[in-house]
Amino acid sequence: PRVGEFVGSILLARKENIPVTSTIAASLFERIVDFLAVMVLFGSYMAFFAGYHMPSSSKGREIFETIRTSTTVGFCAVIIILIALVLILRSRRWHDYAPRVIRKHLLSFLNGLRAIESRRAAIKTLLLSLLIWLAISGQLDCLIRAYLAVFPVTGVLLLVGVTVVGVAIPTPGGVGGFQFFMDLSLIHFFGRYLSETDPASQAAGISNGTYVFSMIPLILVGLILLHREGLSFGTAVRLQDDMEDKTV
């Protein structure tokens, strides 16, 4: 959503008195690390457990091939981006060619990516991200077991990897995309665990219920923290407008 895109970065920058571009870069680095963590978990599923949960339809096989190709391409693309960023951070040659105004903002942006240069910090960040995604996987497993008496633990890794794609679709809170991709996964990969009479309706109920119970705590905590920070919707709009004015 347009209003909330940079609000978190702007608020953090104002609180800590650091450049906004640096906080945006740090947020970008966080997204890259999250993607790598999900790819590690999903890659583990593909390498060791995919054979146990093969798709049960032609549509499922098509999804499976698309997932496998996209995962490989996406992982290679992120690695290339990280290598390019490290080379840019360590090089000073481009300073002489970049215009002064652009160089100022670009250096501020790159300062937010300095964690990449520290092997220890980068590994620590990746490990913490892995723990977070394992916790998310455990939460999803518990929620699914509230609906299904039997469900494979390793199958949750597939659901996490696929639903992350749905959440990445630019909709408010990932609603719609999460349900769509989870429905596809449940029906085409885990149909034997669903109701024989109406598996589509049961899959829809599971995906909607899982989404609601996952988001309610986040929304409540978010509202409390927003109130503590004195941030309202109007303030968020003004922060967004300020950010756009500075970048023009």
Side-chain angles (χ1 to χ4, degrees), residues 19-246:
V20 174
T21 48
S22 294
T23 59
I24 292 175
S27 298
L28 175 63
F29 178 64
E30 178 189 0
R31 293 289 176 265
I32 292 174
V33 172
D34 276 344
F35 180 81
L36 285 176
V38 172
M39 288 300 98
V40 169
L41 294 178
F42 191 67
S44 301
Y45 169 84
M46 295 294 288
F48 303 108
F49 308 112
Y52 298 102
H53 312 300
M54 295 302 292
S56 55
S57 64
S58 58
K59 179 67 173 178
R61 287 188 287 272
E62 180 182 344
I63 295 171
F64 184 79
E65 290 301 323
T66 302
I67 290 172
R68 183 159 54 185
T69 303
S70 301
T71 301
T72 304
V73 173
F75 185 80
C76 292
V78 169
I79 295 300
I80 292 172
I81 291 172
L82 287 175
I83 293 173
L85 287 174
V86 170
L87 293 176
I88 293 173
L89 286 168
R90 292 183 176 179
S91 174
R92 295 290 182 268
R93 294 180 180 179
W94 60 270
H95 290 198
D96 299 329
Y97 302 99
R100 186 174 180 180
V101 176
I102 296 177
R103 184 169 67 244
K104 176 184 176 182
H105 292 291
L106 187 57
L107 285 172
S108 175
F109 181 83
L110 291 175
N111 282 334
L113 300 172
R114 289 291 172 186
I116 299 175
E117 291 188 301
S118 171
R119 185 180 303 175
R120 182 177 180 182
I123 293 175
K124 182 178 179 180
T125 304
L126 179 59
L127 289 176
L128 289 173
S129 184
L130 279 170
L131 289 175
I132 291 172
W133 282 103
L134 283 173
I136 293 172
S137 301
Q139 176 197 42
L140 184 60
D141 182 63
C142 291
L143 290 170
I144 289 176
R145 290 180 185 278
Y147 292 90
L148 300 175
V150 179
F151 191 81
V153 175
T154 54
V156 175
L157 297 178
L158 172 64
L159 293 179
V160 169
V162 174
T163 52
V164 163
V165 178
V167 174
I169 296 174
T171 61
V175 64
F178 175 90
Q179 286 90 334
F180 177 77
F181 281 91
M182 189 168 182
D183 287 353
L184 284 179
S185 301
L186 288 173
I187 293 172
H188 295 290
F189 288 84
F190 305 102
R192 60 182 176 275
Y193 300 104
L194 300 176
S195 169
E196 294 182 359
T197 56
D198 194 358
S201 295
Q202 188 178 24
I206 293 172
S207 61
N208 284 309
T210 300
Y211 178 83
V212 169
F213 283 101
S214 297
M215 292 300 295
I216 285 177
L218 294 177
I219 294 173
L220 293 177
V221 172
L223 290 174
I224 293 171
L225 293 178
L226 286 175
H227 179 73
R228 288 182 57 184
E229 296 294 336
L231 185 65
S232 63
F233 182 78
T235 306
V237 173
R238 288 193 294 273
L239 287 172
Q240 175 71 12
D241 291 339
D242 290 344
M243 178 63 188
E244 291 179 349
D245 293 338
K246 290 179 180 179

